[in-house]
């Protein structure tokens, strides 16, 4: 099926021309000049995200509109957020911590999390967010790899997940806890400490190359890696927020990602604040009614979410979402997994706007390839490289890198040099070095670029299926399967076959109201063969209640494969609820 192109403005329009000019003239040095910087050439993310706006007289603007789990609504203006961040920075330094110390956060989406992130950066220390839902072992191993000096958490999380091993982690000097007041021995109650601390703090004069953040990858393909990012990344956060998410000062913006992974920090804290928007923070997890109510009642203008969430909305049905008024929504974006063409058009139908897919990784620190506001959308494509980003499709063999022709599948690669590029994998120099070959950063993802310059995701290099001489990207097969009315989600893996090398096996989760049956299976296989041809269509279809996913919502094909082949499951520290 050929999906219709979603046309934006006339290509000769002012917006399109402006973009052409911006693309032609854009340079990272120029982008840096749009930020304040610190005296003497310094740069600090927290200064650009909050203090700069307060100094410019925008302190009263709401920075965070927070909804607690029980529906409390609290507005935090920029001036208050700046004071809270300063208080947190003071608490750290009062406990003897110095610039360079490593602060980990294990908190839900509560206001103190944002103060902790910004306060840590302000104090010249390194911030690492962790998912509050992680179990004790993933928390401990990440803090060990990251040599964490401080942990900010809640009393309850501490007791349940940290207390048992806390004394074994030599680097850990301070535990700050928030919550029920039952502060454990050797912990400091965060709220009283912050309330007693001064509300101003001289930002540490970090340089653009100083370490600011450590983010662990999602662990979709193996053991999570700790990617190191620097303060200079803020230049990319500022610019990509404008280009890829269409953020404008004063916008009401909602990023649904948890700060436990990179999207929730780069685009759930830094980019929106640097661009002086009002951001919605919802402490609760996904709930159709609540999400639609927030979008409607808060007049959200820009919404950044992920395919898993979009598929959950789709699963709940159009009718449910159609009772709401979404006229304020101006721009919808998605990241993290392939966004199926059907989902792009579903957005158009239900919200009156298509979803704009974009691509990046923990390692890239910021969005690299995107469907921007003025671009025509070809549903299923990730869009084009942003200004300042040079992307290519390459083949690498023994250190030689060859660029592919349009239409040819190869590895998605980027020319190093953008400001938010990772600077290291913690303690894994060899793994880091392997990413840079022949003047390119190799992403480990396979993609294709068409003649018009649009990029199309094919699959992760590890997930590619080689069947009877064909290279099959799981993404294409999964998109075709999802077109079936009964299918909510699909994952396709290759399993060994004596004659074909590999054959495709599909795992599908059904929409409510559908039950697995042989007839349904035959029907799905028929559709797949019709859409994809016998060589590419999966040989086998199996039904699952849900598919194994990481906490950041990514389908773990490697786990399906390991289980299928009876191999060890490998690192499953990021696995979310799993029912096979
Ligand atoms: P790990 O590196 O530990 O295996 P991960 O790669 O899933 O985990 P992240 O950095 O969170 O960790 O995710 C980046 C990856 O997500 C990309 O390399 C790509 O495979 C996938 N991805 C991100 N955006 C898109 C998109 N728009 N379309 C398709 N895939 C995407
Ligand atoms: Mg990865």
């Amino acid at each position: 099926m050929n999906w219709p192109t979603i046309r934006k403005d006339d290509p000769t329009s002012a917006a399109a021309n402006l973009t052409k000019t911006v693309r032609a003239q854009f340079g990272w040095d120029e982008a840096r000049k749009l930020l304040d910087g610190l005296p003497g050439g310094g740069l600090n993310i927290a200064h650009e995200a909050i203090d700069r706006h307060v100094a410019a007289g925008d302190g009263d603007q709401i920075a965070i509109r927070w909804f607690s789990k029980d529906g409390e609504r609290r507005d935090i203006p920029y001036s208050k957020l700046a004071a809270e961040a300063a208080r947190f920075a003071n608490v750290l330094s009062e406990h003897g911590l110095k610039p360079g110390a490593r602060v980990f956060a294990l908190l839900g989406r509560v206001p103190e999390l944002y103060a902790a992130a910004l306060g840590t950066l302000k104090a010249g220390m390194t911030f690492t967010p962790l998912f509050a839902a992680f179990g004790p072992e993933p928390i401990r191993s990440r803090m060990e790899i990251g040599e964490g000096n401080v942990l900010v958490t809640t009393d309850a999380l501490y007791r349940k997940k940290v207390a048992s091993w806390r004394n074994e982690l030599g680097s850990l000097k301070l535990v700050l806890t928030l919550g029920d007041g039952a502060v454990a021995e050797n912990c400091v109650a965060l709220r009283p400490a912050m309330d007693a601390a001064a509300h101003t703090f001289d930002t540490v004069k970090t340089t653009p190359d100083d370490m600011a953040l450590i983010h662990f990858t999602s662990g979709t393909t193996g053991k999570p890696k700790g990617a190191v990012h620097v303060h200079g990344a803020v230049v990319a956060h500022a610019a990509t927020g404008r280009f890829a998410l269409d953020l404008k000062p004063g916008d009401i913006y909602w990023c649904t990602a948890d700060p436990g992974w990179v999207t929730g920090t780069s685009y759930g804290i830094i980019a929106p604040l640097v661009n002086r928007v009002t951001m919605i923070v919802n402490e609760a997890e996904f709930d159709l009614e609540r999400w639609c109510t927030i979008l409607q009642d808060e007049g959200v203008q820009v919404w950044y979410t992920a395919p898993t969430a979009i598929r959950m909305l789709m699963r709940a049905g159009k009718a449910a979402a159609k009772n709401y008024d979404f006229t304020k929504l101006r721009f919808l974006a998605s990241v993290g997994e392939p966004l199926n063409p059907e989902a792009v058009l579903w957005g158009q139908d239900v919200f009156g706007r298509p979803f704009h897919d974009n691509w990046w990784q923990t390692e890239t620190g910021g969005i690299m390839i995107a469907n921007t506001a003025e671009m025509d959308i070809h549903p299923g494509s990730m869009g084009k490289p942003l200004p300042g980003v040079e992307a290519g499709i390459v083949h690498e063999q023994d250190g030689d890198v060859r660029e592919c022709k349009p239409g040819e599948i190869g590895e998605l690669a980027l020319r190093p040099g953008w400001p938010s590029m990772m600077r290291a994998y913690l303690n894994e120099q060899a793994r880091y070095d392997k990413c840079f070959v022949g003047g390119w950063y190799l992403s480990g993802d396979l993609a294709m670029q068409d003649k018009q310059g649009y990029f199309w995701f094919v699959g992760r290099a590890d997930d590619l299926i080689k069947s009877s001489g064909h290279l099959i990207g799981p993404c294409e097969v999964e998109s075709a399967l999802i077109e079936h009315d009964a299918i909510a989600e699909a994952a396709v893996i290759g399993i060994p076959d004596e004659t074909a090398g590999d054959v495709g096996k599909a795992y599908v989760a059904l929409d409510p109201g559908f039950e697995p049956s042989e007839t349904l299976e035959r029907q799905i296989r028929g559709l797949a063969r019709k859409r994809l041809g016998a060589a590419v269509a999966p040989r086998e279809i199996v039904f699952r209640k849900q598919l194994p996913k990481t906490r950041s919502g990514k389908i773990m094909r490697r786990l399906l494969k390991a289980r299928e082949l009876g191999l060890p499951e490998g690192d499953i520290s990021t696995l979310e609820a799993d029912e096979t």
Side-chain angles (χ1 to χ4, degrees), residues 225-229 363 416 418 421-437 440-442:
K225 300 148 271 189
V228 171
H229 290 285
E363 290 86 341
W418 70 96
M421 191 178 87
M422 67 159 168
R423 301 303 158 95
Y425 279 139
L426 274 184
N427 312 332
E428 292 193 87
Q429 188 64 37
R431 205 170 177 187
Y432 177 78
D433 293 341
K434 253 178 83 179
C435 299
F436 298 89
V437 185
W440 291 94
Y441 161 73
L442 302 177

PDB file of all heavy atoms in Angstrom, residues 225-229 363 416 418 421-437 440-442:
ATOM      1  N   LYS A 225      24.702   0.698  28.072  1.00  0.00           N
ATOM      2  CA  LYS A 225      25.984   1.410  28.105  1.00  0.00           C
ATOM      3  C   LYS A 225      25.771   2.768  28.746  1.00  0.00           C
ATOM      4  O   LYS A 225      24.719   3.371  28.573  1.00  0.00           O
ATOM      5  CB  LYS A 225      26.475   1.614  26.659  1.00  0.00           C
ATOM      6  CG  LYS A 225      26.690   0.324  25.904  1.00  0.00           C
ATOM      7  CD  LYS A 225      26.400   0.453  24.412  1.00  0.00           C
ATOM      8  CE  LYS A 225      24.946   0.162  24.084  1.00  0.00           C
ATOM      9  NZ  LYS A 225      24.596   0.053  22.675  1.00  0.00           N
ATOM     10  N   GLY A 226      26.767   3.279  29.448  1.00  0.00           N
ATOM     11  CA  GLY A 226      26.659   4.594  30.081  1.00  0.00           C
ATOM     12  C   GLY A 226      27.255   5.650  29.158  1.00  0.00           C
ATOM     13  O   GLY A 226      28.467   5.746  29.018  1.00  0.00           O
ATOM     14  N   ALA A 227      26.392   6.411  28.506  1.00  0.00           N
ATOM     15  CA  ALA A 227      26.886   7.424  27.555  1.00  0.00           C
ATOM     16  C   ALA A 227      27.109   8.750  28.289  1.00  0.00           C
ATOM     17  O   ALA A 227      26.225   9.226  29.004  1.00  0.00           O
ATOM     18  CB  ALA A 227      25.875   7.605  26.427  1.00  0.00           C
ATOM     19  N   VAL A 228      28.298   9.306  28.099  1.00  0.00           N
ATOM     20  CA  VAL A 228      28.682  10.535  28.791  1.00  0.00           C
ATOM     21  C   VAL A 228      28.382  11.750  27.914  1.00  0.00           C
ATOM     22  O   VAL A 228      28.750  11.780  26.736  1.00  0.00           O
ATOM     23  CB  VAL A 228      30.202  10.498  29.104  1.00  0.00           C
ATOM     24  CG1 VAL A 228      30.691  11.841  29.629  1.00  0.00           C
ATOM     25  CG2 VAL A 228      30.497   9.379  30.088  1.00  0.00           C
ATOM     26  N   HIS A 229      27.710  12.751  28.485  1.00  0.00           N
ATOM     27  CA  HIS A 229      27.397  13.980  27.760  1.00  0.00           C
ATOM     28  C   HIS A 229      27.926  15.202  28.505  1.00  0.00           C
ATOM     29  O   HIS A 229      28.080  15.175  29.726  1.00  0.00           O
ATOM     30  CB  HIS A 229      25.889  14.095  27.530  1.00  0.00           C
ATOM     31  CG  HIS A 229      25.385  13.094  26.543  1.00  0.00           C
ATOM     32  ND1 HIS A 229      25.596  13.216  25.189  1.00  0.00           N
ATOM     33  CD2 HIS A 229      24.736  11.916  26.717  1.00  0.00           C
ATOM     34  CE1 HIS A 229      25.076  12.171  24.558  1.00  0.00           C
ATOM     35  NE2 HIS A 229      24.553  11.369  25.468  1.00  0.00           N
ATOM     36  N   GLU A 363      23.228   7.974  22.518  1.00  0.00           N
ATOM     37  CA  GLU A 363      24.578   8.392  22.148  1.00  0.00           C
ATOM     38  C   GLU A 363      24.606   9.752  21.453  1.00  0.00           C
ATOM     39  O   GLU A 363      25.572  10.498  21.573  1.00  0.00           O
ATOM     40  CB  GLU A 363      25.205   7.355  21.198  1.00  0.00           C
ATOM     41  CG  GLU A 363      25.543   6.019  21.831  1.00  0.00           C
ATOM     42  CD  GLU A 363      24.365   5.029  21.854  1.00  0.00           C
ATOM     43  OE1 GLU A 363      23.211   5.472  21.708  1.00  0.00           O
ATOM     44  OE2 GLU A 363      24.613   3.828  22.042  1.00  0.00           O
ATOM     45  N   PRO A 416      30.756  13.067  12.923  1.00  0.00           N
ATOM     46  CA  PRO A 416      30.933  13.566  14.287  1.00  0.00           C
ATOM     47  C   PRO A 416      31.103  15.083  14.312  1.00  0.00           C
ATOM     48  O   PRO A 416      31.536  15.673  13.327  1.00  0.00           O
ATOM     49  CB  PRO A 416      32.227  12.888  14.740  1.00  0.00           C
ATOM     50  CG  PRO A 416      32.363  11.696  13.870  1.00  0.00           C
ATOM     51  CD  PRO A 416      31.756  12.072  12.552  1.00  0.00           C
ATOM     52  N   TRP A 418      28.601  17.250  16.152  1.00  0.00           N
ATOM     53  CA  TRP A 418      27.458  17.988  16.712  1.00  0.00           C
ATOM     54  C   TRP A 418      27.663  18.067  18.232  1.00  0.00           C
ATOM     55  O   TRP A 418      28.275  17.172  18.832  1.00  0.00           O
ATOM     56  CB  TRP A 418      26.135  17.334  16.309  1.00  0.00           C
ATOM     57  CG  TRP A 418      25.874  16.021  16.944  1.00  0.00           C
ATOM     58  CD1 TRP A 418      25.144  15.782  18.056  1.00  0.00           C
ATOM     59  CD2 TRP A 418      26.359  14.721  16.526  1.00  0.00           C
ATOM     60  NE1 TRP A 418      25.150  14.444  18.367  1.00  0.00           N
ATOM     61  CE2 TRP A 418      25.888  13.764  17.446  1.00  0.00           C
ATOM     62  CE3 TRP A 418      27.151  14.273  15.465  1.00  0.00           C
ATOM     63  CZ2 TRP A 418      26.173  12.415  17.334  1.00  0.00           C
ATOM     64  CZ3 TRP A 418      27.439  12.927  15.369  1.00  0.00           C
ATOM     65  CH2 TRP A 418      26.954  12.016  16.283  1.00  0.00           C
ATOM     66  N   MET A 421      26.983  15.125  20.979  1.00  0.00           N
ATOM     67  CA  MET A 421      27.534  13.790  20.736  1.00  0.00           C
ATOM     68  C   MET A 421      28.126  13.232  22.041  1.00  0.00           C
ATOM     69  O   MET A 421      28.778  13.959  22.776  1.00  0.00           O
ATOM     70  CB  MET A 421      28.640  13.903  19.705  1.00  0.00           C
ATOM     71  CG  MET A 421      29.119  12.600  19.159  1.00  0.00           C
ATOM     72  SD  MET A 421      30.380  12.923  17.905  1.00  0.00           S
ATOM     73  CE  MET A 421      31.828  13.002  18.929  1.00  0.00           C
ATOM     74  N   MET A 422      27.898  11.962  22.304  1.00  0.00           N
ATOM     75  CA  MET A 422      28.475  11.380  23.528  1.00  0.00           C
ATOM     76  C   MET A 422      29.994  11.494  23.468  1.00  0.00           C
ATOM     77  O   MET A 422      30.584  11.477  22.394  1.00  0.00           O
ATOM     78  CB  MET A 422      28.064   9.922  23.680  1.00  0.00           C
ATOM     79  CG  MET A 422      28.651   9.014  22.617  1.00  0.00           C
ATOM     80  SD  MET A 422      28.649   7.306  23.168  1.00  0.00           S
ATOM     81  CE  MET A 422      29.043   6.475  21.615  1.00  0.00           C
ATOM     82  N   ARG A 423      30.606  11.600  24.640  1.00  0.00           N
ATOM     83  CA  ARG A 423      32.060  11.728  24.691  1.00  0.00           C
ATOM     84  C   ARG A 423      32.730  10.456  25.162  1.00  0.00           C
ATOM     85  O   ARG A 423      33.950  10.334  25.118  1.00  0.00           O
ATOM     86  CB  ARG A 423      32.464  12.892  25.600  1.00  0.00           C
ATOM     87  CG  ARG A 423      31.908  14.245  25.178  1.00  0.00           C
ATOM     88  CD  ARG A 423      32.320  14.568  23.745  1.00  0.00           C
ATOM     89  NE  ARG A 423      31.440  15.541  23.136  1.00  0.00           N
ATOM     90  CZ  ARG A 423      31.678  16.844  23.109  1.00  0.00           C
ATOM     91  NH1 ARG A 423      32.756  17.324  23.649  1.00  0.00           N
ATOM     92  NH2 ARG A 423      30.825  17.644  22.506  1.00  0.00           N
ATOM     93  N   ALA A 424      31.965   9.522  25.649  1.00  0.00           N
ATOM     94  CA  ALA A 424      32.534   8.240  26.094  1.00  0.00           C
ATOM     95  C   ALA A 424      31.400   7.284  26.436  1.00  0.00           C
ATOM     96  O   ALA A 424      30.277   7.721  26.690  1.00  0.00           O
ATOM     97  CB  ALA A 424      33.378   8.453  27.354  1.00  0.00           C
ATOM     98  N   TYR A 425      31.722   5.986  26.385  1.00  0.00           N
ATOM     99  CA  TYR A 425      30.915   4.992  27.095  1.00  0.00           C
ATOM    100  C   TYR A 425      31.699   4.750  28.371  1.00  0.00           C
ATOM    101  O   TYR A 425      32.891   4.399  28.296  1.00  0.00           O
ATOM    102  CB  TYR A 425      30.847   3.672  26.328  1.00  0.00           C
ATOM    103  CG  TYR A 425      29.858   3.589  25.189  1.00  0.00           C
ATOM    104  CD1 TYR A 425      30.212   2.962  23.995  1.00  0.00           C
ATOM    105  CD2 TYR A 425      28.560   4.080  25.308  1.00  0.00           C
ATOM    106  CE1 TYR A 425      29.317   2.828  22.944  1.00  0.00           C
ATOM    107  CE2 TYR A 425      27.655   3.951  24.264  1.00  0.00           C
ATOM    108  CZ  TYR A 425      28.037   3.325  23.084  1.00  0.00           C
ATOM    109  OH  TYR A 425      27.148   3.193  22.048  1.00  0.00           O
ATOM    110  N   LEU A 426      31.070   4.945  29.509  1.00  0.00           N
ATOM    111  CA  LEU A 426      31.796   4.780  30.773  1.00  0.00           C
ATOM    112  C   LEU A 426      32.522   3.446  30.833  1.00  0.00           C
ATOM    113  O   LEU A 426      31.905   2.397  30.618  1.00  0.00           O
ATOM    114  CB  LEU A 426      30.808   4.816  31.936  1.00  0.00           C
ATOM    115  CG  LEU A 426      30.435   6.176  32.507  1.00  0.00           C
ATOM    116  CD1 LEU A 426      29.533   5.973  33.698  1.00  0.00           C
ATOM    117  CD2 LEU A 426      31.646   7.015  32.856  1.00  0.00           C
ATOM    118  N   ASN A 427      33.787   3.505  31.114  1.00  0.00           N
ATOM    119  CA  ASN A 427      34.628   2.306  31.295  1.00  0.00           C
ATOM    120  C   ASN A 427      34.626   1.355  30.110  1.00  0.00           C
ATOM    121  O   ASN A 427      34.901   0.177  30.260  1.00  0.00           O
ATOM    122  CB  ASN A 427      34.192   1.492  32.537  1.00  0.00           C
ATOM    123  CG  ASN A 427      34.015   2.355  33.758  1.00  0.00           C
ATOM    124  OD1 ASN A 427      34.680   3.389  33.864  1.00  0.00           O
ATOM    125  ND2 ASN A 427      33.137   1.970  34.655  1.00  0.00           N
ATOM    126  N   GLU A 428      34.274   1.853  28.948  1.00  0.00           N
ATOM    127  CA  GLU A 428      34.242   0.956  27.794  1.00  0.00           C
ATOM    128  C   GLU A 428      34.847   1.656  26.579  1.00  0.00           C
ATOM    129  O   GLU A 428      34.175   1.881  25.566  1.00  0.00           O
ATOM    130  CB  GLU A 428      32.804   0.519  27.473  1.00  0.00           C
ATOM    131  CG  GLU A 428      32.219  -0.380  28.533  1.00  0.00           C
ATOM    132  CD  GLU A 428      30.944  -1.047  28.075  1.00  0.00           C
ATOM    133  OE1 GLU A 428      31.007  -2.109  27.462  1.00  0.00           O
ATOM    134  OE2 GLU A 428      29.869  -0.466  28.321  1.00  0.00           O
ATOM    135  N   GLN A 429      36.106   2.005  26.708  1.00  0.00           N
ATOM    136  CA  GLN A 429      36.777   2.762  25.663  1.00  0.00           C
ATOM    137  C   GLN A 429      36.758   2.027  24.314  1.00  0.00           C
ATOM    138  O   GLN A 429      36.483   2.630  23.278  1.00  0.00           O
ATOM    139  CB  GLN A 429      38.222   3.055  26.108  1.00  0.00           C
ATOM    140  CG  GLN A 429      38.993   4.006  25.190  1.00  0.00           C
ATOM    141  CD  GLN A 429      38.387   5.412  25.156  1.00  0.00           C
ATOM    142  OE1 GLN A 429      37.907   5.916  26.156  1.00  0.00           O
ATOM    143  NE2 GLN A 429      38.388   6.033  23.981  1.00  0.00           N
ATOM    144  N   ALA A 430      37.018   0.722  24.351  1.00  0.00           N
ATOM    145  CA  ALA A 430      37.113  -0.013  23.086  1.00  0.00           C
ATOM    146  C   ALA A 430      35.766  -0.004  22.365  1.00  0.00           C
ATOM    147  O   ALA A 430      35.697   0.178  21.142  1.00  0.00           O
ATOM    148  CB  ALA A 430      37.555  -1.444  23.359  1.00  0.00           C
ATOM    149  N   ARG A 431      34.693  -0.144  23.138  1.00  0.00           N
ATOM    150  CA  ARG A 431      33.355  -0.163  22.543  1.00  0.00           C
ATOM    151  C   ARG A 431      33.047   1.212  21.927  1.00  0.00           C
ATOM    152  O   ARG A 431      32.428   1.316  20.881  1.00  0.00           O
ATOM    153  CB  ARG A 431      32.342  -0.495  23.631  1.00  0.00           C
ATOM    154  CG  ARG A 431      31.083  -1.114  23.124  1.00  0.00           C
ATOM    155  CD  ARG A 431      30.302  -1.614  24.311  1.00  0.00           C
ATOM    156  NE  ARG A 431      29.030  -2.170  23.914  1.00  0.00           N
ATOM    157  CZ  ARG A 431      28.109  -2.559  24.789  1.00  0.00           C
ATOM    158  NH1 ARG A 431      28.345  -2.461  26.082  1.00  0.00           N
ATOM    159  NH2 ARG A 431      26.964  -3.042  24.369  1.00  0.00           N
ATOM    160  N   TYR A 432      33.478   2.242  22.621  1.00  0.00           N
ATOM    161  CA  TYR A 432      33.281   3.614  22.128  1.00  0.00           C
ATOM    162  C   TYR A 432      34.065   3.810  20.831  1.00  0.00           C
ATOM    163  O   TYR A 432      33.525   4.267  19.826  1.00  0.00           O
ATOM    164  CB  TYR A 432      33.759   4.596  23.204  1.00  0.00           C
ATOM    165  CG  TYR A 432      33.674   6.061  22.812  1.00  0.00           C
ATOM    166  CD1 TYR A 432      32.465   6.735  22.840  1.00  0.00           C
ATOM    167  CD2 TYR A 432      34.817   6.769  22.420  1.00  0.00           C
ATOM    168  CE1 TYR A 432      32.378   8.069  22.498  1.00  0.00           C
ATOM    169  CE2 TYR A 432      34.741   8.107  22.075  1.00  0.00           C
ATOM    170  CZ  TYR A 432      33.515   8.753  22.119  1.00  0.00           C
ATOM    171  OH  TYR A 432      33.426  10.081  21.775  1.00  0.00           O
ATOM    172  N   ASP A 433      35.353   3.450  20.864  1.00  0.00           N
ATOM    173  CA  ASP A 433      36.202   3.647  19.681  1.00  0.00           C
ATOM    174  C   ASP A 433      35.626   2.944  18.454  1.00  0.00           C
ATOM    175  O   ASP A 433      35.727   3.436  17.342  1.00  0.00           O
ATOM    176  CB  ASP A 433      37.626   3.140  19.953  1.00  0.00           C
ATOM    177  CG  ASP A 433      38.340   3.989  21.002  1.00  0.00           C
ATOM    178  OD1 ASP A 433      37.891   5.135  21.242  1.00  0.00           O
ATOM    179  OD2 ASP A 433      39.326   3.504  21.591  1.00  0.00           O
ATOM    180  N   LYS A 434      35.008   1.797  18.691  1.00  0.00           N
ATOM    181  CA  LYS A 434      34.465   1.015  17.565  1.00  0.00           C
ATOM    182  C   LYS A 434      33.332   1.735  16.831  1.00  0.00           C
ATOM    183  O   LYS A 434      32.998   1.414  15.696  1.00  0.00           O
ATOM    184  CB  LYS A 434      33.924  -0.322  18.095  1.00  0.00           C
ATOM    185  CG  LYS A 434      34.807  -1.497  17.718  1.00  0.00           C
ATOM    186  CD  LYS A 434      34.267  -2.774  18.287  1.00  0.00           C
ATOM    187  CE  LYS A 434      33.175  -3.387  17.410  1.00  0.00           C
ATOM    188  NZ  LYS A 434      32.685  -4.645  17.990  1.00  0.00           N
ATOM    189  N   CYS A 435      32.718   2.725  17.511  1.00  0.00           N
ATOM    190  CA  CYS A 435      31.600   3.454  16.883  1.00  0.00           C
ATOM    191  C   CYS A 435      32.095   4.440  15.833  1.00  0.00           C
ATOM    192  O   CYS A 435      31.299   4.950  15.037  1.00  0.00           O
ATOM    193  CB  CYS A 435      30.819   4.261  17.929  1.00  0.00           C
ATOM    194  SG  CYS A 435      30.072   3.294  19.208  1.00  0.00           S
ATOM    195  N   PHE A 436      33.368   4.798  15.876  1.00  0.00           N
ATOM    196  CA  PHE A 436      33.851   5.838  14.971  1.00  0.00           C
ATOM    197  C   PHE A 436      34.802   5.225  13.947  1.00  0.00           C
ATOM    198  O   PHE A 436      35.883   4.775  14.283  1.00  0.00           O
ATOM    199  CB  PHE A 436      34.558   6.941  15.773  1.00  0.00           C
ATOM    200  CG  PHE A 436      33.631   7.624  16.737  1.00  0.00           C
ATOM    201  CD1 PHE A 436      33.465   7.149  18.030  1.00  0.00           C
ATOM    202  CD2 PHE A 436      32.885   8.727  16.339  1.00  0.00           C
ATOM    203  CE1 PHE A 436      32.584   7.758  18.917  1.00  0.00           C
ATOM    204  CE2 PHE A 436      31.995   9.356  17.218  1.00  0.00           C
ATOM    205  CZ  PHE A 436      31.847   8.863  18.508  1.00  0.00           C
ATOM    206  N   VAL A 437      34.356   5.203  12.696  1.00  0.00           N
ATOM    207  CA  VAL A 437      35.158   4.574  11.651  1.00  0.00           C
ATOM    208  C   VAL A 437      35.146   5.450  10.402  1.00  0.00           C
ATOM    209  O   VAL A 437      34.082   5.909   9.962  1.00  0.00           O
ATOM    210  CB  VAL A 437      34.594   3.169  11.278  1.00  0.00           C
ATOM    211  CG1 VAL A 437      35.506   2.475  10.263  1.00  0.00           C
ATOM    212  CG2 VAL A 437      34.439   2.298  12.515  1.00  0.00           C
ATOM    213  N   TRP A 440      33.170   8.663  10.334  1.00  0.00           N
ATOM    214  CA  TRP A 440      31.736   8.578  10.634  1.00  0.00           C
ATOM    215  C   TRP A 440      31.514   8.019  12.030  1.00  0.00           C
ATOM    216  O   TRP A 440      32.320   7.227  12.511  1.00  0.00           O
ATOM    217  CB  TRP A 440      31.015   7.640   9.653  1.00  0.00           C
ATOM    218  CG  TRP A 440      30.910   8.138   8.248  1.00  0.00           C
ATOM    219  CD1 TRP A 440      31.775   7.852   7.232  1.00  0.00           C
ATOM    220  CD2 TRP A 440      29.890   8.987   7.699  1.00  0.00           C
ATOM    221  NE1 TRP A 440      31.348   8.475   6.076  1.00  0.00           N
ATOM    222  CE2 TRP A 440      30.193   9.172   6.338  1.00  0.00           C
ATOM    223  CE3 TRP A 440      28.749   9.601   8.236  1.00  0.00           C
ATOM    224  CZ2 TRP A 440      29.406   9.956   5.488  1.00  0.00           C
ATOM    225  CZ3 TRP A 440      27.953  10.374   7.380  1.00  0.00           C
ATOM    226  CH2 TRP A 440      28.292  10.555   6.038  1.00  0.00           C
ATOM    227  N   TYR A 441      30.377   8.392  12.626  1.00  0.00           N
ATOM    228  CA  TYR A 441      29.869   7.691  13.799  1.00  0.00           C
ATOM    229  C   TYR A 441      28.856   6.670  13.274  1.00  0.00           C
ATOM    230  O   TYR A 441      27.906   7.041  12.564  1.00  0.00           O
ATOM    231  CB  TYR A 441      29.173   8.663  14.777  1.00  0.00           C
ATOM    232  CG  TYR A 441      28.252   7.946  15.738  1.00  0.00           C
ATOM    233  CD1 TYR A 441      28.787   7.186  16.766  1.00  0.00           C
ATOM    234  CD2 TYR A 441      26.862   7.989  15.577  1.00  0.00           C
ATOM    235  CE1 TYR A 441      27.950   6.472  17.632  1.00  0.00           C
ATOM    236  CE2 TYR A 441      26.026   7.286  16.431  1.00  0.00           C
ATOM    237  CZ  TYR A 441      26.579   6.528  17.460  1.00  0.00           C
ATOM    238  OH  TYR A 441      25.754   5.826  18.299  1.00  0.00           O
ATOM    239  N   LEU A 442      29.060   5.399  13.583  1.00  0.00           N
ATOM    240  CA  LEU A 442      28.152   4.347  13.095  1.00  0.00           C
ATOM    241  C   LEU A 442      27.110   4.041  14.163  1.00  0.00           C
ATOM    242  O   LEU A 442      27.447   3.724  15.304  1.00  0.00           O
ATOM    243  CB  LEU A 442      28.955   3.083  12.764  1.00  0.00           C
ATOM    244  CG  LEU A 442      30.082   3.257  11.727  1.00  0.00           C
ATOM    245  CD1 LEU A 442      30.842   1.955  11.551  1.00  0.00           C
ATOM    246  CD2 LEU A 442      29.524   3.727  10.382  1.00  0.00           C
TER     247      LEU A 442
END
